[in-house]
Amino acid sequence: MADNVKPRVRVPKTAKAGEVITIKTLISHQMESGQRKDQDGNVIPRSIINHFSVSFNGTPVLDVKMEPAISTNPYFEFEVAVPESGEFLFTWKDDDGSVYEDRQSIEIS
Amino acid sequence: MILDRRDVLAAGAASAVAGILPWAARAQEAEAAKAVDDLIAEFTGGAEVTEGDGITLDAPEIAENGNTVPISVEAEGASEILVLAPGNPVPPVATFTFGELVGKHMASTRIRLAKTQDITAIAKLADGKFVRTARNVKVTIGGCGG
């Protein structure tokens, strides 16, 4: 079930060269753990986002292997030292094979 | 009252079951601990893991709702950090791999905890050594359904 999956990413528009910025990401996803049962007692199959990665101009920044213990609507916050103007690429991979992407550019002032 | 053979057998069976139950629970706990040790060994490749210095794991002391517990890990210069929740049905939580552009080797996220437990974080530092730390979180309402 990958309905209404919507990534939300907050990246500052500008930064000084080498400045450390904080990036916050959130993606709406129910992250079904595979532990819950429905009303008839049947286990609801696992359906989660299992991988999240961030790169900047093609250079890897952060890579997270995610397990069912990550909460609904996975949220991540981390820090990046920005060397130059460019574009961040955020990628989430779903158990069902879907890939969700978001791009954000940043200017060095 | 005279005990006949049937009563004696029933009483015997009952006490045997009573004796086995706590033992089974302990065995289950031991098994979970072993699974966690295996996960750590898999992450470190069998290298020695020291306690404490160089890694910080932040989590609330008491989590009212086990469905979303905010945590934050930081380890200066770490290339990888593994987070485990040994009390969960599935102990691994996440593995963070840091690239060269990260400002500070930290990450925050929100996790699920099934019950009160010591969450554990293990970091691979820049010099290839491994450090671990643990933090007890009391959970009022478990977060794994069931």
Side-chain angles (χ1 to χ4, degrees):
Chain A
M1 288 251 288
D3 307 334
N4 302 320
V5 176
K6 187 174 179 225
R8 293 183 180 86
V9 176
R10 183 176 292 174
V11 178
K13 291 265 179 296
T14 59
K16 295 189 180 74
E19 188 183 338
V20 174
I21 59 164
T22 302
I23 294 182
K24 295 176 181 178
T25 72
L26 185 75
I27 185 164
S28 50
H29 193 284
Q30 65 186 38
M31 295 291 280
E32 191 57 65
S33 68
Q35 300 287 333
R36 297 198 309 158
K37 290 180 179 149
D38 63 15
Q39 286 167 343
D40 305 326
N42 303 315
V43 172
I44 305 170
R46 171 183 138 154
S47 169
I48 67 166
I49 292 176
N50 56 42
H51 197 264
F52 169 58
S53 63
V54 183
S55 66
F56 180 70
N57 288 349
T59 315
V61 174
L62 179 72
D63 194 287
V64 186
K65 182 168 172 275
M66 295 158 68
E67 307 284 348
I70 300 291
S71 298
T72 306
N73 302 341
Y75 163 84
F76 289 103
E77 183 182 330
F78 50 94
E79 295 187 350
V80 186
V82 192
E84 62 202 12
S85 295
E87 190 179 58
F88 284 102
L89 171 64
F90 303 86
T91 314
W92 291 262
K93 286 187 185 141
D94 196 302
D95 268 354
D96 68 10
S98 317
V99 175
Y100 317 111
E101 280 185 355
D102 195 37
R103 290 165 194 274
Q104 297 282 334
S105 48
I106 186 166
E107 293 275 334
I108 293 301
S109 57
Chain B
M1 180 184 146
I2 298 163
L3 288 174
D4 62 14
R5 206 169 75 112
R6 196 168 293 173
D7 288 336
V8 171
L9 279 178
S15 64
V17 167
I20 284 168
L21 274 179
W23 173 81
R26 241 176 289 147
Q28 209 175 10
E29 239 165 64
E31 207 167 278
K34 189 170 161 283
V36 169
D37 285 346
D38 284 351
L39 285 165
I40 294 172
E42 200 179 300
F43 179 68
T44 61
E48 197 189 342
V49 183
T50 50
E51 290 282 335
D53 274 0
I55 181 166
T56 330
L57 172 62
D58 262 340
E61 212 167 290
I62 297 173
E64 278 179 18
N65 182 353
N67 267 315
T68 48
V69 184
I71 62 153
S72 169
V73 284
E74 181 178 349
E76 189 54 49
S79 58
E80 279 181 83
I81 300 180
L82 169 71
V83 181
L84 297 171
N88 277 9
V90 184
V93 173
T95 314
F96 299 95
T97 308
F98 297 104
E100 56 194 69
L101 285 181
V102 288
K104 220 167 151 192
H105 294 72
M106 67 80 73
S108 307
T109 186
R110 299 178 189 144
I111 67 170
R112 292 178 175 138
L113 295 175
K115 58 179 184 186
T116 298
Q117 56 183 288
D118 292 323
I119 45 176
T120 304
I122 299 126
K124 183 180 187 185
L125 300 181
D127 57 7
K129 289 200 178 115
F130 291 91
V131 287
R132 66 183 284 176
T133 188
R135 188 136 184 166
N136 186 264
V137 180
K138 290 192 172 63
V139 177
T140 321
I141 305 167
C144 287

